[in-house]
């Protein structure tokens, strides 16, 4: 299988030597006013683990991170961003010079249509309210749709049901080279866990990696990605 | 002034000996679906600093904390909660047995009217969306409106404009004994900063404490609160 193939080919790992790798990680925060925001439970652990594994495999790594509480892996260039549009701008700039783009961030699909300059005050007689949302840029689809300077583009699909089916559909629709799917509804897997179990899907098929520490899983994923990009 | 008065009366501090103090701290997170939520920038630092200062001043302290990345102060009983209704339940239970209730948490005024059981999927042709919100319980107003077992009740007002005016109005409207107001729009003050500058307001007037480390400010506030509750 792919993992064994990778291990055989590259052994103890400089499988990404000379490669430029860009990885997005963590959630985005979409401001509603100066104090409130919309976000998600992504911890950034998987993206940070991939950045470390890619760097150890010899790559020059740029890590574009949403708001997370994680230390920057050694020798990795980190760019901090808050919302999806900042992440898009940073990702587009970094992608111009990269060989492999990995979108591990959980980018908010939508953001509040307007951001209040002052903290929104609750009215005493107001029992309901609403937040109007507009679509955020689709960062990974933007990179994957390039006709020039298009890196090998990898997405993530964090789902709570029909995981492989959604992931397959996302791979096709966004023109990705590979997608890494995981079920975030499982205990001991996905968001904020130190462990994860994923299925790697490309146009040739799928390959499931059993639950492992995100750091170990990241090493396996980097070997698979290296094998794929050198075919 | 109040701070000097407190220092004179209580010196180096067992000013809350024998008192039960309940403090809420941090933000609340209001789920939209299994992965997305609405929250705010409260770091919990001020509430945690108050818990530590109260404990050092001799109080038995229960700290009801929203999702924050902070260590529990020594000898403080911590109760972790996520959303406003969980915080309300924990606060109501703890308040039954307390002398002083300090609401330092930034409780979300509103929550999504419904929580999806599965991750909400974006439709390809969908450019807008909306989140319908309903009002959350007003925790500190609930405690302050008690006719029995009503603790000395202190609120916070984190505002970005007309700070004292809003705080005064909140003190009256919620029947609080004291309110601690701060301007979260100032750099180096308020949310996520290690420093804060506040104005303490009660029915007798207001008293501004200049910018200081939250830990030092917490000590001053605890002395003021102790003086007020022993009058």
């Amino acid at each position: 299988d792919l993992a064994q193939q990778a291990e055989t080919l590259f052994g103890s790992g400089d499988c990404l030597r000379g490669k430029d790798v860009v990885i997005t990680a963590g959630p985005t925060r979409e401001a509603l006013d100066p104090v409130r925001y919309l976000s998600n439970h992504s911890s950034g652990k998987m993206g940070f683990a991939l950045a470390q594994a890619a760097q150890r495999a010899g790559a020059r790594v740029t890590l574009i991170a949403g708001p997370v509480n994680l230390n920057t892996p050694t020798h990795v260039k980190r760019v901090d961003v808050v919302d999806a549009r900042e992440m898009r701008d940073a990702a587009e700039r970094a992608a111009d010079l990269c060989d492999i783009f990995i979108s591990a961030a959980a980018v908010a699909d939508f953001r509040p249509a307007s951001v209040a300059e002052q903290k929104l005050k609750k009215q005493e007689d107001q029992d309901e309210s609403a937040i109007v949302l507009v679509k955020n840029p689709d960062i990974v689809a933007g990179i994957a749709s390039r006709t020039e300077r298009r890196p090998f583009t990898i997405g993530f699909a964090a789902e709570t049901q029909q995981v492989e089916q959604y992931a397959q559909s996302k791979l096709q629709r966004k023109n990705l080279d590979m997608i890494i799917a995981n079920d975030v509804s499982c205990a001991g897997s996905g968001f904020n866990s130190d462990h994860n179990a994923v299925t790697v899907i490309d146009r040739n098929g799928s390959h499931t990696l059993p639950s492992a520490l995100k750091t170990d899983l990241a090493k396996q994923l980097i070997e698979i990605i290296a094998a794929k990009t050198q075919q």
Side-chain angles (χ1 to χ4, degrees), chain A residues 99-143:
Chain A
D99 303 295
I100 299 168
F101 181 84
I102 307 177
S103 172
V107 182
D109 290 334
F110 291 92
R111 66 174 180 274
S114 65
V115 181
E117 277 185 40
Q118 303 295 342
K119 185 181 169 189
L120 298 168
K121 303 300 295 174
K122 163 177 68 169
Q123 302 301 315
E124 270 321 283
D125 52 354
Q126 184 188 356
D127 288 330
E128 288 208 351
S129 184
I131 305 171
V132 178
L133 303 171
V134 294
K135 214 179 209 172
N136 262 329
D138 189 327
I139 299 173
V140 72
I143 306 282

Side-chain angles (χ1 to χ4, degrees), chain A residues 51-68:
Chain A
Q52 183 173 58
Q55 191 279 326
R56 287 184 179 170
R60 284 178 297 270
V61 179
T62 301
L63 176 60
I64 301 170
V68 294

Side-chain angles (χ1 to χ4, degrees), chain A residues 176-189:
Chain A
L176 305 178
D177 298 301
M178 181 184 284
I179 195 157
I180 300 164
N182 68 320
D183 187 338
V184 292
S185 70
C186 298
S189 177

Side-chain angles (χ1 to χ4, degrees), chain A residues 62-113:
Chain A
T62 301
L63 176 60
I64 301 170
V68 294
N69 283 291
L70 295 172
N71 295 321
T72 311
T74 317
H75 303 307
V76 164
K77 181 185 169 193
R78 175 170 175 173
V79 180
D80 283 317
V81 298
V82 175
D83 66 26
R85 287 174 295 176
E86 286 170 20
M87 188 173 274
R88 188 259 328 265
D89 293 347
E92 285 285 350
R93 262 194 305 275
D96 282 346
L97 301 164
C98 84
D99 303 295
I100 299 168
F101 181 84
I102 307 177
S103 172
V107 182
D109 290 334
F110 291 92
R111 66 174 180 274

